[in-house]
Coordinates of all heavy atoms in Angstrom, one line a residue:
S52 N 148.0 85.6 94.6 CA 147.4 86.8 94.1 C 147.7 87.0 92.6 O 148.8 86.7 92.1 CB 147.9 88.0 94.9 OG 147.6 88.0 96.2
Y53 N 146.7 87.5 91.9 CA 146.8 87.7 90.5 C 147.8 88.8 90.2 O 147.8 89.9 90.9 CB 145.4 88.1 89.9 CG 145.5 88.5 88.4 CD1 145.5 87.5 87.5 CD2 145.4 89.8 88.0 CE1 145.6 87.8 86.1 CE2 145.5 90.1 86.7 CZ 145.5 89.1 85.7 OH 145.6 89.4 84.4
V54 N 148.6 88.7 89.2 CA 149.6 89.7 88.9 C 149.3 90.3 87.5 O 149.1 91.5 87.4 CB 151.1 89.1 88.8 CG1 152.1 90.2 88.4 CG2 151.4 88.5 90.2
M55 N 149.2 89.5 86.5 CA 148.9 90.0 85.1 C 148.8 88.9 84.1 O 148.9 87.7 84.5 CB 150.1 90.9 84.7 CG 151.4 90.1 84.6 SD 152.8 91.2 84.3 CE 153.7 90.4 83.1
E56 N 148.5 89.2 82.9 CA 148.5 88.3 81.8 C 149.8 88.4 81.1 O 150.4 89.5 81.0 CB 147.4 88.6 80.8 CG 146.0 88.5 81.4 CD 145.6 87.1 81.8 OE1 145.8 86.1 81.0 OE2 145.1 86.9 82.9
W57 N 150.4 87.2 80.7 CA 151.7 87.2 80.2 C 151.9 86.0 79.3 O 151.6 84.8 79.7 CB 152.8 87.2 81.3 CG 154.2 87.0 80.8 CD1 155.0 88.0 80.4 CD2 154.9 85.8 80.7 NE1 156.2 87.5 80.1 CE2 156.2 86.2 80.3 CE3 154.6 84.5 81.0 CZ2 157.2 85.2 80.1 CZ3 155.6 83.6 80.8 CH2 156.9 83.9 80.3
E58 N 152.2 86.2 78.0 CA 152.6 85.1 77.1 C 151.5 84.0 77.1 O 151.8 82.8 77.0 CB 153.9 84.5 77.5 CG 155.1 85.5 77.4 CD 155.5 85.8 76.0 OE1 155.5 84.9 75.1 OE2 155.9 87.0 75.8
G59 N 150.2 84.4 77.1 CA 149.2 83.4 77.1 C 148.8 82.7 78.4 O 148.0 81.8 78.4
F60 N 149.4 83.2 79.5 CA 149.1 82.7 80.8 C 148.6 83.8 81.7 O 148.9 85.0 81.5 CB 150.4 82.2 81.5 CG 151.0 81.0 80.9 CD1 152.1 81.1 79.9 CD2 150.6 79.7 81.2 CE1 152.7 80.0 79.3 CE2 151.2 78.6 80.6 CZ 152.2 78.8 79.7
S61 N 147.8 83.4 82.7 CA 147.4 84.3 83.8 C 148.5 84.0 84.8 O 148.8 82.8 85.1 CB 146.1 84.0 84.4 OG 145.1 84.3 83.4
V62 N 149.1 85.0 85.4 CA 150.2 84.9 86.3 C 149.8 85.2 87.7 O 149.1 86.3 87.9 CB 151.4 85.8 85.9 CG1 152.6 85.7 86.9 CG2 151.9 85.6 84.5
Y63 N 150.1 84.4 88.6 CA 149.8 84.6 90.1 C 151.1 84.4 90.9 O 151.9 83.6 90.5 CB 148.8 83.5 90.6 CG 147.5 83.6 89.9 CD1 147.2 83.1 88.7 CD2 146.4 84.3 90.6 CE1 146.0 83.3 88.1 CE2 145.2 84.5 90.0 CZ 145.0 84.0 88.7 OH 143.7 84.1 88.1
V64 N 151.2 85.3 91.9 CA 152.4 85.2 92.8 C 151.9 84.3 94.0 O 150.8 84.6 94.5 CB 153.0 86.5 93.2 CG1 152.0 87.4 93.9 CG2 154.3 86.4 93.9
L65 N 152.7 83.3 94.3 CA 152.4 82.5 95.5 C 152.8 83.2 96.8 O 153.9 83.8 96.8 CB 153.1 81.1 95.4 CG 152.7 80.4 94.1 CD1 153.4 79.0 94.1 CD2 151.3 80.3 93.8
E66 N 152.0 83.1 97.8 CA 152.3 83.9 99.0 C 152.1 83.0 100.3 O 151.4 82.0 100.3 CB 151.3 85.0 99.1 CG 151.3 86.0 97.9 CD 150.2 87.0 97.9 OE1 149.1 86.6 98.3 OE2 150.5 88.1 97.5
H67 N 152.9 83.4 101.3 CA 152.7 82.9 102.7 C 151.9 83.8 103.5 O 152.0 85.0 103.4 CB 154.1 82.7 103.3 CG 155.0 81.7 102.7 ND1 154.7 80.3 102.8 CD2 156.1 81.8 102.0 CE1 155.7 79.7 102.2 NE2 156.5 80.5 101.7
D68 N 151.0 83.3 104.4 CA 150.4 84.1 105.3 C 151.4 84.6 106.3 O 152.3 83.8 106.7 CB 149.3 83.3 106.1 CG 148.1 83.0 105.2 OD1 147.9 83.7 104.1 OD2 147.4 82.0 105.5
T69 N 151.4 85.8 106.7 CA 152.5 86.3 107.6 C 152.0 86.5 109.0 O 152.7 87.1 109.8 CB 152.9 87.7 107.1 OG1 151.8 88.6 107.0 CG2 153.6 87.6 105.7
D70 N 150.9 85.9 109.4 CA 150.4 86.0 110.8 C 151.3 85.3 111.8 O 151.3 85.6 112.9 CB 149.0 85.4 110.9 CG 148.0 86.2 110.2 OD1 148.3 87.4 109.8 OD2 146.9 85.7 109.9
D71 N 152.2 84.4 111.3 CA 153.1 83.6 112.1 C 154.4 84.3 112.4 O 155.2 83.8 113.1 CB 153.3 82.2 111.6 CG 154.0 82.2 110.2 OD1 154.3 83.3 109.7 OD2 154.1 81.2 109.6
G72 N 154.6 85.5 111.8 CA 155.8 86.3 112.0 C 156.9 85.9 111.1 O 158.0 86.5 111.2
L73 N 156.7 84.9 110.3 CA 157.8 84.5 109.3 C 157.5 85.2 108.0 O 156.4 85.3 107.6 CB 157.8 83.0 109.1 CG 158.1 82.2 110.4 CD1 157.9 80.7 110.1 CD2 159.4 82.5 110.9
Y74 N 158.6 85.6 107.3 CA 158.5 86.3 106.1 C 159.3 85.6 105.0 O 160.4 85.2 105.3 CB 158.9 87.8 106.2 CG 158.0 88.5 107.1 CD1 158.3 88.6 108.5 CD2 156.8 89.1 106.6 CE1 157.4 89.3 109.3 CE2 155.9 89.8 107.5 CZ 156.3 89.9 108.8 OH 155.4 90.5 109.7
Y75 N 158.8 85.5 103.8 CA 159.5 84.9 102.7 C 160.4 85.9 102.1 O 160.0 87.1 101.9 CB 158.5 84.4 101.7 CG 159.2 83.8 100.4 CD1 159.7 82.5 100.5 CD2 159.3 84.5 99.3 CE1 160.3 81.9 99.4 CE2 159.9 84.0 98.2 CZ 160.4 82.7 98.2 OH 161.0 82.2 97.1
T76 N 161.7 85.6 101.9 CA 162.6 86.5 101.2 C 163.2 85.8 100.0 O 163.2 84.5 100.0 CB 163.8 86.9 102.1 OG1 164.5 85.7 102.6 CG2 163.3 87.7 103.3
G77 N 163.5 86.5 99.0 CA 164.0 85.9 97.8 C 163.2 86.3 96.6 O 162.3 87.2 96.7
Y78 N 163.4 85.7 95.5 CA 162.6 85.9 94.3 C 161.2 85.4 94.5 O 161.0 84.5 95.2 CB 163.2 85.3 93.1 CG 164.5 85.9 92.6 CD1 165.7 85.3 92.7 CD2 164.5 87.2 92.0 CE1 166.9 85.9 92.3 CE2 165.6 87.8 91.5 CZ 166.9 87.1 91.7 OH 168.0 87.7 91.3
P79 N 160.2 86.1 93.8 CA 158.9 85.6 93.9 C 158.7 84.3 93.2 O 159.5 84.0 92.2 CB 158.1 86.7 93.2 CG 159.0 87.4 92.3 CD 160.4 87.3 93.0
V80 N 157.7 83.5 93.6 CA 157.4 82.3 92.9 C 156.1 82.5 92.2 O 155.1 82.9 92.8 CB 157.2 81.1 93.9 CG1 156.8 79.8 93.2 CG2 158.6 80.9 94.7
F81 N 156.1 82.4 90.9 CA 155.0 82.6 90.1 C 154.3 81.3 89.6 O 155.0 80.4 89.2 CB 155.3 83.4 88.8 CG 155.8 84.8 89.1 CD1 157.1 85.2 88.8 CD2 154.9 85.8 89.6 CE1 157.5 86.5 89.1 CE2 155.3 87.1 89.9 CZ 156.6 87.4 89.6
A82 N 153.0 81.3 89.7 CA 152.3 80.1 89.1 C 151.7 80.6 87.8 O 151.1 81.8 87.7 CB 151.2 79.7 90.0
L83 N 151.8 79.8 86.8 CA 151.2 80.1 85.5 C 150.1 79.2 85.2 O 150.2 78.0 85.4 CB 152.3 80.0 84.4 CG 153.6 80.7 84.6 CD1 154.5 80.4 83.4 CD2 153.4 82.2 84.6
I84 N 148.9 79.7 84.7 CA 147.8 78.9 84.4 C 147.3 79.3 83.0 O 147.3 80.5 82.6 CB 146.6 79.1 85.4 CG1 145.5 78.1 85.1 CG2 146.2 80.5 85.5 CD1 144.4 78.0 86.2
N85 N 147.1 78.2 82.2 CA 146.7 78.5 80.8 C 145.2 78.3 80.7 O 144.5 78.1 81.7 CB 147.4 77.6 79.8 CG 147.2 76.1 80.0 OD1 146.2 75.7 80.6 ND2 148.1 75.3 79.5
E86 N 144.7 78.5 79.4 CA 143.2 78.4 79.2 C 142.6 77.0 79.5 O 141.4 76.9 79.7 CB 142.9 78.8 77.8 CG 143.1 80.2 77.5 CD 142.7 80.6 76.1 OE1 142.2 79.8 75.3 OE2 142.9 81.8 75.7
Q87 N 143.5 76.0 79.5 CA 143.0 74.6 79.8 C 143.1 74.3 81.3 O 142.9 73.2 81.8 CB 143.9 73.6 79.1 CG 143.7 73.6 77.6 CD 144.4 74.7 76.9 OE1 145.5 75.1 77.3 NE2 143.8 75.3 75.9
N88 N 143.4 75.4 82.1 CA 143.5 75.3 83.6 C 144.7 74.4 84.0 O 144.7 73.8 85.1 CB 142.2 74.8 84.3 CG 141.2 75.9 84.2 OD1 141.5 77.1 84.2 ND2 139.9 75.5 84.0
D89 N 145.7 74.3 83.2 CA 147.0 73.6 83.6 C 147.8 74.6 84.3 O 148.1 75.7 83.8 CB 147.7 73.1 82.3 CG 146.9 72.1 81.5 OD1 146.3 71.2 82.2 OD2 147.0 72.1 80.3
V90 N 148.3 74.2 85.5 CA 149.1 75.1 86.3 C 150.5 74.6 86.5 O 150.7 73.4 86.7 CB 148.5 75.3 87.7 CG1 149.3 76.3 88.6 CG2 147.0 75.7 87.7
R91 N 151.5 75.5 86.4 CA 152.8 75.1 86.7 C 153.6 76.3 87.2 O 153.2 77.4 87.1 CB 153.5 74.6 85.4 CG 153.7 75.6 84.3 CD 154.4 75.1 83.1 NE 154.6 76.0 82.1 CZ 155.5 77.0 82.0 NH1 156.4 77.1 83.0 NH2 155.6 77.8 81.0
E92 N 154.8 76.0 87.8 CA 155.6 77.1 88.3 C 156.4 77.7 87.1 O 156.9 76.9 86.2 CB 156.6 76.6 89.3 CG 157.5 77.6 90.0 CD 158.3 77.1 91.1 OE1 158.0 76.0 91.7 OE2 159.4 77.7 91.3
A93 N 156.6 79.0 87.1 CA 157.4 79.6 86.1 C 158.9 79.2 86.3 O 159.3 79.0 87.4 CB 157.3 81.1 86.2
T94 N 159.5 79.0 85.2 CA 161.0 78.7 85.2 C 161.7 80.0 85.7 O 161.1 81.1 85.7 CB 161.5 78.3 83.8 OG1 161.4 79.4 82.9 CG2 160.7 77.1 83.3
A95 N 163.0 79.8 86.0 CA 163.8 81.0 86.4 C 163.8 82.0 85.2 O 163.7 83.2 85.5 CB 165.2 80.6 86.7
K96 N 164.0 81.6 84.0 CA 164.0 82.5 82.9 C 162.6 83.2 82.7 O 162.6 84.4 82.5 CB 164.3 81.7 81.6 CG 164.5 82.6 80.4 CD 164.9 81.8 79.2 CE 165.1 82.7 78.0 NZ 165.5 81.9 76.8
E97 N 161.5 82.5 82.9 CA 160.2 83.1 82.8 C 160.0 84.1 83.9 O 159.4 85.1 83.8 CB 159.1 82.0 82.8 CG 159.1 81.2 81.6 CD 158.2 80.0 81.7 OE1 158.1 79.4 82.8 OE2 157.6 79.6 80.7

Side-chain angles (χ1 to χ4, degrees):
S52 294
Y53 177 78
V54 177
M55 63 190 222
E56 296 298 311
W57 175 83
E58 301 284 326
F60 294 96
S61 294
V62 179
Y63 293 82
V64 63
L65 304 186
E66 301 171 325
H67 291 289
D68 291 338
T69 57
D70 293 345
D71 59 7
L73 299 174
Y74 296 92
Y75 177 80
T76 58
Y78 287 110
V80 177
F81 293 114
L83 306 178
I84 185 169
N85 63 19
E86 290 182 3
Q87 293 77 34
N88 291 327
D89 298 321
V90 183
R91 65 176 178 83
E92 184 176 335
T94 65
K96 185 176 181 179
E97 290 170 329

